[in-house]
Each structure stands twice: as C-alpha cells, then as structure tokens.
Amino acid sequence: MSKIKPSQGAPYARIMGVGGYRPTRVVPNEVILETIDSSDEWIRSRSGIASRHWASEEETVAAMSVEASGKAIADAGITPEEIGAVIVSTVSHFKQTPAIATEIAHKVGAGKPAAFDISAGCAGFGYGLTLAKGMIVEGSADYVLVIGVERLSDLTDLTDRATAFLFGDGAGAVVVGPSKVPAIGPTVWGSEGDKSETIKQTVAWDEFHAERPEKFPAITQEGQAVFRWAVFEMAKVAQQALDAAGITPEDLDVFIPHQANMRIIDSMVKTLKLPEHVTVARDVETTGNTSAASIPLAMERLLATGQAKSGDTALVIGFGAGLVYAATVVTLP
C-alpha cells in the first residue's frame, strides 16, 4: 500500500487569459528584397506574407515575454503571485542554461514558481499547453503561465531566398487554470524523427566559433518537403484532435493553425472541409512565422478584433522542426 498522499488537483483545466507582444518595427517585403533576388508578388504568392515584425536590441526574448505575460495575467483576472509554474517554448534563447523561464518568472513578479524552457519548435505552444493542463489536473500548480516566444530574426539568413522572408519575432502567452468542465481537449502529438533534417539549424553551437569563416547559425528548411508533410499529414492530426475531443468540424467556431504559410493554412481548411462559419486565423500575413509564438499571437488578435469571442470552440495545431506536432481543441478565454 502506497503511503503517498494523493494529489488534489482540479477536475479539468482551461485557458483563462491570453496576451501578445509584437515588436514595434514592421518589416515589409521590400526590405527582404534588398538581400535576395525575388519579388513582393512571389513572396506573397508562396507564403501569403506581406510584412513581419523584427525585434530591436531592447526587445529581447525576456522583455517580449514579460509584456505578453502581463497582458495574459491581467486578462485571466489573477495576480502574478498566484502563478505556480512558468513554461517557455523557444528556440531563440541562446543560453543553454539557465532557462529564460526563471528570468521571466522573476520579472513578472511570480514569486518562486517552477520555471523551465522547452524546445519543440513551432509545436512548442501545444506542448506547453498540454504540460500545463497536466499540472493543473494533477495539483502541482493552481495557475500556469505558458509562453511561446521567438526572435527568429537572429536566426534568419537574409541571403537565403527560400527562408529570408518567412520569419518574424514576437511573444504570446496564456494563463491556464482550473475548470469545472472540459475546456482543453486531449492532445494529439508526436514526432517524425526520420524527417528531422528538413528544418534545422545550419551549424551546431559547439561547431561555431567567431574566428572561423562560417556564417552565424541560421534556420534552413527543405521547403517542398515540409509543405507536403504539413498539408497532407497535419490535416490528419487535426482530424484526430477533433475525434479525440468528440466533436466534428461543424462544431468548431475557430481554427488556429501554426502561422507558417498561407498556402498551408488554406490547404488544411480545404482538406478538413471546415464550414464557412469557422473563423480561420491568418495572422501570418502581417506577422510572419513566429514559431512557438504564432498560435497565442493569432489567438490574441482574433479575440482583440472580435473575430472570435470568449467561449468559442477552437482547434489549435502546431507543427515544425523535428518534425514535431501537437493539436488540441480548446475553449477560448
């Protein structure tokens, strides 16, 4: 017989508040065209991106996260001291240790919460959301702050015609707390490691030295391979998430996919046969691909503009480097 006392968690978990931060500098395609041989028309037709935000020196990973987190905490109607854990998904915090989550937790005034980083690329927000849900239900924390944040401009090769126009910077955050009814569905997640070379960093940190001739490490990808995988495989994962939540596309109010590429988004909408009443996030047009930050940023904009409302049922799905993915159905805060 175990002598361990059972945990006292909530029956369910839900997203209680959301916040976002976009850097002040807006970078149109014309700026990208200064370093690659392309055109605004080509970039828009291939990706749907017209502009993106790039961070200044002061808009660090931590600074953007603190801004987004403050908004999420206020939106949730709780105090920073009530946060029991901080989870940060990012691939652009350049220190292996300590985790940037500890600095963010301190700067938002969260006291002494559990704080750690995860690296799951563009699926990172979904991974963090699932971990937070588990903490709430298990009883490890009453409220969990989940942050997706990237400064991908630091990892962009502006001479690479295939990727120079894709990436942007920003931070999105949500507060996850207790719920009496199901408000975050089962997560369908996984990885396909045999495709790990399709999106990668060009040079490993331990291979990079300032005195060597290599360019600073950047993110590169095999665009066509990633596009095919996202279009054909991620629609299946999205359907599995709907099935796991026990709903159909007709039951959805909102679809918030990772903002990687407008063509991918439109193809998923078509494959899933989403009804016309479903609002689809297309934040990529003016924000670009912000990896782990893209879903919470898109969620925040939909709610702020009135395109989505509190209580709506939304399907969220992230996918990217690894290749990894995570999809779930949530009730919007």
Side-chain angles (χ1 to χ4, degrees):
M1 179 68 69
S2 174
K3 297 180 180 179
I4 300 174
K5 180 182 178 180
S7 58
Q8 300 294 317
Y12 304 104
R14 66 186 177 101
I15 299 174
M16 299 179 58
V18 59
Y21 180 83
R22 292 171 172 81
T24 56
R25 182 188 177 192
V26 177
V27 180
N29 288 339
E30 286 73 19
V31 173
I32 306 298
L33 296 176
E34 294 173 3
T35 52
I36 61 171
D37 180 17
S38 187
S39 68
D40 178 64
E41 181 184 3
W42 187 88
I43 293 174
R44 289 174 185 257
S45 65
R46 299 287 291 185
S47 68
I49 298 172
S51 62
R52 71 287 294 146
H53 295 257
W54 281 357
S56 66
E57 185 176 346
E58 292 76 23
E59 291 169 317
T60 64
V61 166
M64 293 190 293
S65 297
V66 170
E67 290 292 331
S69 298
K71 295 176 183 177
I73 292 169
D75 192 41
I78 65 170
T79 64
E81 293 81 5
E82 294 178 90
I83 298 294
V86 177
I87 303 172
V88 177
S89 177
T90 184
V91 299
S92 47
H93 169 53
F94 293 155
K95 290 183 180 179
Q96 194 75 34
T97 190
I100 194 65
T102 59
E103 178 182 343
I104 294 167
H106 171 70
K107 289 184 174 178
V108 300
K112 299 180 180 179
F116 59 95
D117 299 349
I118 60 175
S119 178
C122 304
F125 176 73
Y127 276 48
L129 189 64
T130 303
L131 293 172
K133 172 187 173 183
M135 290 180 179
I136 301 300
V137 174
E138 187 270 339
S140 297
D142 292 328
Y143 303 98
V144 180
L145 180 63
V146 180
I147 303 164
V149 56
E150 301 293 2
R151 271 181 56 122
L152 293 180
S153 57
D154 291 335
L155 287 168
T156 299
D157 180 355
L158 294 178
T159 65
D160 180 4
R161 188 172 184 270
T163 62
F165 58 89
L166 286 176
F167 302 117
D169 304 335
V174 299
V175 171
V176 179
S179 175
K180 295 181 180 180
V181 296
I184 300 176
T187 298
V188 177
W189 57 356
S191 65
E192 297 185 25
D194 60 315
K195 302 179 181 66
S196 61
E197 292 295 300
T198 56
I199 305 175
K200 63 182 180 180
Q201 185 171 300
T202 52
V203 181
W205 294 117
D206 60 354
E207 297 173 0
F208 179 78
H209 299 283
E211 69 273 20
R212 294 176 63 173
E214 289 94 347
K215 291 182 178 180
F216 191 78
I219 296 206
T220 184
Q221 70 175 21
E222 297 174 16
Q224 287 301 314
V226 173
F227 180 86
R228 289 192 297 269
W229 175 77
V231 168
F232 296 110
E233 297 302 322
M234 291 306 95
K236 298 176 185 177
V237 172
Q239 184 60 56
Q240 290 173 29
L242 291 174
D243 294 342
I247 67 173
T248 68
E250 287 72 23
D251 297 317
L252 280 179
D253 300 305
V254 184
F255 178 44
I256 311 177
H258 165 49
Q259 302 294 293
N261 181 304
M262 196 76 79
R263 292 170 62 208
I264 292 175
I265 294 171
D266 290 340
S267 294
M268 291 182 70
V269 169
K270 183 177 180 180
T271 302
L272 287 168
K273 298 180 180 178
L274 296 184
E276 289 187 5
H277 75 263
V278 176
T279 298
V280 180
R282 292 188 170 88
D283 195 42
V284 66
E285 181 179 6
T286 57
T287 305
N289 179 345
T290 56
S291 189
S294 78
I295 290 175
L297 276 175
M299 183 184 296
E300 187 250 4
R301 174 163 281 176
L302 289 176
L303 289 166
T305 59
Q307 296 177 73
K309 62 183 185 299
S310 175
D312 278 354
T313 299
L315 169 63
V316 299
I317 178 169
F319 45 87
L323 292 168
V324 295
Y325 54 87
T328 188
V329 174
V330 303
T331 300
L332 295 182

Short mmCIF file of all heavy atoms in Angstrom, two decimals, residues 85-89 101 114-118 127-129 131-132 135 144-148:
data_model
loop_
_atom_site.label_atom_id
_atom_site.label_comp_id
_atom_site.label_asym_id
_atom_site.label_seq_id
_atom_site.Cartn_x
_atom_site.Cartn_y
_atom_site.Cartn_z
N ALA A 85 3.69 27.95 -11.98
CA ALA A 85 4.69 27.41 -12.91
C ALA A 85 4.73 28.28 -14.15
O ALA A 85 3.72 28.85 -14.56
CB ALA A 85 4.36 25.97 -13.29
N VAL A 86 5.92 28.40 -14.73
CA VAL A 86 6.13 29.16 -15.96
C VAL A 86 6.82 28.25 -16.96
O VAL A 86 7.90 27.71 -16.68
CB VAL A 86 6.99 30.42 -15.72
CG1 VAL A 86 7.24 31.15 -17.04
CG2 VAL A 86 6.31 31.34 -14.71
N ILE A 87 6.18 28.06 -18.11
CA ILE A 87 6.72 27.21 -19.17
C ILE A 87 6.98 28.09 -20.38
O ILE A 87 6.06 28.77 -20.87
CB ILE A 87 5.74 26.08 -19.55
CG1 ILE A 87 5.39 25.23 -18.32
CG2 ILE A 87 6.34 25.20 -20.66
CD1 ILE A 87 4.28 24.22 -18.58
N VAL A 88 8.20 28.08 -20.89
CA VAL A 88 8.55 28.91 -22.04
C VAL A 88 9.02 28.02 -23.18
O VAL A 88 9.95 27.23 -23.02
CB VAL A 88 9.67 29.91 -21.69
CG1 VAL A 88 10.07 30.72 -22.93
CG2 VAL A 88 9.23 30.85 -20.58
N SER A 89 8.35 28.14 -24.32
CA SER A 89 8.78 27.44 -25.53
C SER A 89 9.50 28.41 -26.43
O SER A 89 8.93 29.43 -26.84
CB SER A 89 7.58 26.83 -26.26
OG SER A 89 8.02 26.20 -27.45
N ALA A 101 12.98 30.99 -18.61
CA ALA A 101 11.73 31.00 -17.83
C ALA A 101 11.94 31.53 -16.43
O ALA A 101 11.05 32.19 -15.87
CB ALA A 101 11.15 29.58 -17.77
N ALA A 114 7.74 27.02 -10.27
CA ALA A 114 8.53 26.14 -11.13
C ALA A 114 8.71 26.87 -12.46
O ALA A 114 7.79 27.56 -12.92
CB ALA A 114 7.80 24.82 -11.36
N ALA A 115 9.88 26.79 -13.05
CA ALA A 115 10.14 27.54 -14.28
C ALA A 115 11.11 26.76 -15.15
O ALA A 115 12.20 26.40 -14.69
CB ALA A 115 10.69 28.92 -13.96
N PHE A 116 10.72 26.52 -16.41
CA PHE A 116 11.60 25.76 -17.31
C PHE A 116 11.27 26.06 -18.76
O PHE A 116 10.17 26.51 -19.08
CB PHE A 116 11.49 24.26 -17.04
CG PHE A 116 10.12 23.68 -17.19
CD1 PHE A 116 9.71 23.07 -18.37
CD2 PHE A 116 9.22 23.70 -16.13
CE1 PHE A 116 8.45 22.52 -18.50
CE2 PHE A 116 7.95 23.16 -16.24
CZ PHE A 116 7.56 22.57 -17.44
N ASP A 117 12.26 25.82 -19.62
CA ASP A 117 12.09 26.00 -21.06
C ASP A 117 11.86 24.67 -21.73
O ASP A 117 12.32 23.62 -21.24
CB ASP A 117 13.35 26.62 -21.68
CG ASP A 117 13.69 27.99 -21.13
OD1 ASP A 117 12.84 28.57 -20.42
OD2 ASP A 117 14.80 28.47 -21.40
N ILE A 118 11.16 24.69 -22.86
CA ILE A 118 11.04 23.51 -23.70
C ILE A 118 11.42 23.89 -25.13
O ILE A 118 11.31 25.04 -25.53
CB ILE A 118 9.61 22.91 -23.68
CG1 ILE A 118 8.58 23.93 -24.17
CG2 ILE A 118 9.26 22.41 -22.28
CD1 ILE A 118 7.17 23.34 -24.29
N TYR A 127 2.72 21.84 -26.89
CA TYR A 127 3.39 21.02 -25.88
C TYR A 127 3.26 21.66 -24.50
O TYR A 127 2.95 21.00 -23.50
CB TYR A 127 4.86 20.83 -26.24
CG TYR A 127 5.14 19.72 -27.22
CD1 TYR A 127 4.40 19.59 -28.39
CD2 TYR A 127 6.15 18.80 -26.98
CE1 TYR A 127 4.66 18.58 -29.30
CE2 TYR A 127 6.43 17.77 -27.89
CZ TYR A 127 5.68 17.67 -29.04
OH TYR A 127 5.94 16.65 -29.94
N GLY A 128 3.52 22.98 -24.44
CA GLY A 128 3.43 23.68 -23.16
C GLY A 128 2.03 23.68 -22.59
O GLY A 128 1.83 23.52 -21.38
N LEU A 129 1.04 23.84 -23.46
CA LEU A 129 -0.35 23.83 -23.03
C LEU A 129 -0.72 22.48 -22.42
O LEU A 129 -1.42 22.42 -21.40
CB LEU A 129 -1.25 24.13 -24.23
CG LEU A 129 -2.73 24.39 -23.98
CD1 LEU A 129 -2.91 25.66 -23.14
CD2 LEU A 129 -3.48 24.52 -25.31
N LEU A 131 1.37 20.29 -21.02
CA LEU A 131 2.05 20.16 -19.74
C LEU A 131 1.33 20.95 -18.66
O LEU A 131 1.17 20.48 -17.52
CB LEU A 131 3.50 20.64 -19.87
CG LEU A 131 4.43 19.80 -20.75
CD1 LEU A 131 5.77 20.50 -20.94
CD2 LEU A 131 4.65 18.42 -20.14
N ALA A 132 0.88 22.15 -19.01
CA ALA A 132 0.16 22.99 -18.05
C ALA A 132 -1.14 22.33 -17.60
O ALA A 132 -1.48 22.33 -16.41
CB ALA A 132 -0.11 24.36 -18.66
N MET A 135 -0.41 19.73 -15.07
CA MET A 135 -0.07 20.30 -13.76
C MET A 135 -1.32 20.71 -12.99
O MET A 135 -1.42 20.48 -11.78
CB MET A 135 0.84 21.51 -13.94
CG MET A 135 2.23 21.21 -14.42
SD MET A 135 3.17 22.74 -14.59
CE MET A 135 4.76 22.08 -15.11
N VAL A 144 -0.85 28.19 -14.36
CA VAL A 144 0.40 28.01 -15.09
C VAL A 144 0.46 29.03 -16.23
O VAL A 144 -0.51 29.20 -16.98
CB VAL A 144 0.53 26.58 -15.67
CG1 VAL A 144 1.85 26.43 -16.43
CG2 VAL A 144 0.45 25.55 -14.55
N LEU A 145 1.59 29.70 -16.35
CA LEU A 145 1.83 30.65 -17.43
C LEU A 145 2.58 29.93 -18.54
O LEU A 145 3.67 29.40 -18.32
CB LEU A 145 2.66 31.83 -16.90
CG LEU A 145 3.03 32.95 -17.87
CD1 LEU A 145 1.78 33.65 -18.38
CD2 LEU A 145 3.95 33.95 -17.18
N VAL A 146 1.97 29.89 -19.72
CA VAL A 146 2.59 29.24 -20.88
C VAL A 146 2.94 30.31 -21.91
O VAL A 146 2.07 31.08 -22.33
CB VAL A 146 1.65 28.19 -21.52
CG1 VAL A 146 2.33 27.53 -22.72
CG2 VAL A 146 1.25 27.14 -20.49
N ILE A 147 4.21 30.35 -22.30
CA ILE A 147 4.70 31.39 -23.20
C ILE A 147 5.34 30.76 -24.44
O ILE A 147 6.13 29.82 -24.33
CB ILE A 147 5.75 32.27 -22.50
CG1 ILE A 147 5.18 32.89 -21.22
CG2 ILE A 147 6.28 33.36 -23.45
CD1 ILE A 147 6.24 33.45 -20.29
N GLY A 148 4.99 31.29 -25.60
CA GLY A 148 5.71 30.98 -26.83
C GLY A 148 6.38 32.26 -27.29
O GLY A 148 5.71 33.28 -27.47
#
